Amino acid sequence: MAVSSFLGTAIEYYDFLLYSTMAALVFGSLFFPESGSGGVATIAAFGTLAAGYVARPIGGLLFGHYGDRLGRKRTLVASMMLMGVASTLIGVLPGYDSIGIAAPALLILLRTVQGIAVGGEYGGAALMIIEHAGARRRGSWVGIMQMGSSIGSLAATGAIALVTLLPEDDFESWGWRIPFMVSAALLIIGLYVRLSVTESPIFKEAEAKERQQSAHSVPALEILKNQKKPLILACAVGIGPFALTALISSYMIAYGTEVGFSRSEVIQAMLMVNIMSTFTIPAFSALSDFAGRKPVVVSGAVGAVLWAWPMYAMAGSGSVWMLTVGMMIGQVVQNLMYSPLASMFSEMFSTEVRYTGVSMGYQMASLLGAGFTPMLAATLVLATGGSSLPLILIMVTAACVTLVALTMLREPRGVDLVGSISPTK
């Protein structure tokens, strides 16, 4: 079960994060050549990145509804198929020079499909583990699944690092397509593993009881009616870690090259960051089983506030070593905020609407925290002549939103998942 969720998450995040990096590297010139300067083209490319984040809450609603009504397993299979097909098609999509305005239009459409797919993935993958695990070890087990996000990001960064070794013209004409087309093979592997898993026992238990009394209910409406406060708090708690992900992963390549680093130097730093996350995410998720979900997230949010200025000072130092260390420490505080989220969110909603609740909270946080952050950051940095001050303010503000939300939430660790809801203050 844990292996299935881990592998599925890794594949879907490989596909989703691959796009983020390519948006910074090549999509501006390939799909938006009439945008003017390189900075404006990059902003346009990050706009298509935002389209995927806008679609994620839609995917959370759609897949959450069917996941709560029909089961976790079937919904997860559908989300994986959607992601794999969209990513493969991006790999064969002609550029603006070949098909004109249809190129960016189709790119936005496929990015939207990606967003819908990943919007349904996280909640289901987390619940397939959490609803099988015991109350005392939820964080430890779900940490394996969440490690898939760092492995997927590591695989995407590694694939990009390899293709960027090609001559510049080859990379921009066909080399960038290779990592996307690998998605077809990954899809086959992922579907084989995912089809072999069994349905969540807690869902099966709740299904028979709820079938007659809520056969015609809509989980999203049930949440908005009776569980609105947990949804709002889940969204707010997630804003800090998602904003930091956007700043370190999606935007750092564009910023790093602006302040004098080569593309390969920033990618090498990102590789080190992702390797480290492979260990820190499961460790911090397991830590939340013993220390509590809130203390772990609080420590990360406070760390983000304190580390914002030093991280960008190190990024602007001109030293690759300083850049790498700054990003790695930034990623540690991000992992502290991010790692307990799956367990925390799952403990905040009742079984019959849990898939929808977790998905909506997580994906709305991703939209507000990360969806527009790279585009906003690029715009503000361009407007301020390359200043890092807007980036520091974004990082601090997002972490403070997370801290404020945590003050309104009681510790959810260990709550009974069968029909109960974690109380809010």
Side-chain angles (χ1 to χ4, degrees):
M1 185 61 59
V3 173
S4 169
S5 290
F6 161 78
L7 184 59
T9 301
I11 291 172
E12 295 227 9
Y13 274 82
Y14 167 86
D15 289 336
F16 197 77
L17 294 172
L18 182 64
Y19 188 104
S20 302
T21 308
M22 289 301 186
L25 290 178
V26 72
F27 284 175
S29 59
L30 186 66
F31 292 100
F32 302 95
E34 295 187 353
S35 298
S37 69
V40 176
T42 299
I43 293 170
F46 281 139
T48 68
L49 176 67
Y53 281 99
V54 171
R56 284 172 71 154
I58 299 173
L61 279 171
L62 177 64
F63 286 101
H65 176 85
Y66 289 105
D68 283 326
R69 297 277 74 85
L70 303 177
R72 318 320 193 191
K73 176 180 175 178
R74 282 182 282 183
T75 308
L76 284 170
V77 169
S79 72
M80 178 175 283
M81 289 184 64
L82 200 61
M83 173 63 86
V85 171
S87 297
T88 303
L89 290 176
I90 289 175
V92 298
L93 184 63
Y96 187 93
D97 290 343
S98 298
I99 58 174
I101 194 65
L106 289 172
L107 181 67
I108 293 171
L109 174 63
L110 293 173
R111 178 58 177 177
T112 301
V113 173
Q114 276 193 326
I116 291 172
V118 82
E121 167 66 24
Y122 180 87
L127 294 186
M128 285 295 281
I129 292 183
I130 289 171
E131 292 183 344
H132 276 86
R136 294 185 178 181
R137 300 300 300 274
R138 287 173 192 153
S140 300
W141 281 108
V142 82
I144 298 174
M145 181 275 291
Q146 293 196 121
M147 189 170 61
S149 62
S150 62
I151 292 292
S153 180
L154 177 62
T157 306
I160 292 166
L162 289 176
V163 295
T164 52
L165 295 176
L166 293 167
E168 187 78 18
D169 290 343
D170 289 341
F171 169 72
E172 293 189 358
S173 62
W174 56 268
W176 69 270
R177 300 178 182 277
I178 296 174
F180 284 101
M181 298 181 72
V182 169
S183 298
L186 295 177
L187 173 62
I188 296 171
I189 297 171
L191 287 176
Y192 174 78
V193 174
R194 184 151 281 178
L195 286 168
S196 67
V197 304
T198 58
E199 183 57 84
S200 157
I202 291 180
F203 172 79
K204 285 183 177 180
E205 181 181 337
E207 183 182 30
K209 182 173 65 175
E210 295 293 329
R211 184 180 288 120
Q212 301 213 341
Q213 49 184 288
S214 60
H216 302 291
S217 68
V218 178
L221 296 180
E222 171 65 22
I223 288 174
L224 293 177
K225 180 180 179 181
N226 297 317
Q227 300 182 39
K228 185 188 303 182
K229 191 170 183 180
L231 174 64
I232 294 172
L233 290 179
C235 173
V237 167
I239 285 176
F242 276 113
L244 197 45
T245 294
L247 291 172
I248 293 177
S249 299
S250 301
Y251 182 68
M252 189 58 82
I253 291 181
Y255 181 74
T257 53
E258 284 292 325
V259 297
F261 295 102
S262 69
R263 184 171 58 194
S264 62
E265 287 173 336
V266 182
I267 291 174
Q268 288 169 14
M270 289 179 64
L271 278 171
M272 296 301 297
V273 166
N274 290 321
I275 290 171
M276 181 194 65
S277 291
T278 303
F279 302 97
T280 53
I281 285 179
F284 294 152
S285 186
L287 178 63
S288 72
D289 282 335
F290 301 96
R293 317 297 184 212
K294 283 183 61 176
V296 176
V297 181
V298 166
S299 64
V302 171
V305 172
L306 297 176
W307 190 244
W309 181 83
M311 184 175 80
Y312 283 103
M314 295 173 78
S317 68
S319 165
V320 176
W321 182 84
M322 294 282 280
L323 170 70
T324 303
V325 172
M327 289 174 63
M328 290 179 72
I329 296 176
Q331 190 69 9
V332 167
V333 299
Q334 191 279 341
N335 290 168
L336 282 165
M337 287 189 285
Y338 172 78
S339 299
L341 293 188
S343 301
M344 177 184 282
F345 289 2
S346 299
E347 292 162 334
M348 293 171 65
F349 299 95
S350 56
T351 302
E352 67 274 9
V353 297
R354 185 170 293 129
Y355 197 142
T356 301
V358 172
S359 297
M360 287 178 65
Y362 185 88
Q363 303 307 340
M364 286 171 62
S366 74
L367 170 61
L368 297 176
F372 298 99
T373 297
M375 184 170 59
L376 175 64
T379 302
L380 293 176
V381 169
L382 185 64
T384 56
S387 172
S388 63
L389 181 60
L391 308 179
I392 295 171
L393 292 176
I394 291 171
M395 184 168 165
V396 170
T397 301
C400 287
V401 171
T402 293
L403 285 171
V404 171
L406 288 169
T407 65
M408 304 178 191
L409 178 70
R410 294 179 184 172
E411 175 57 54
R413 178 187 54 171
V415 70
D416 182 9
L417 290 183
V418 182
S420 62
I421 307 173
S422 176
T424 54
K425 293 183 180 179

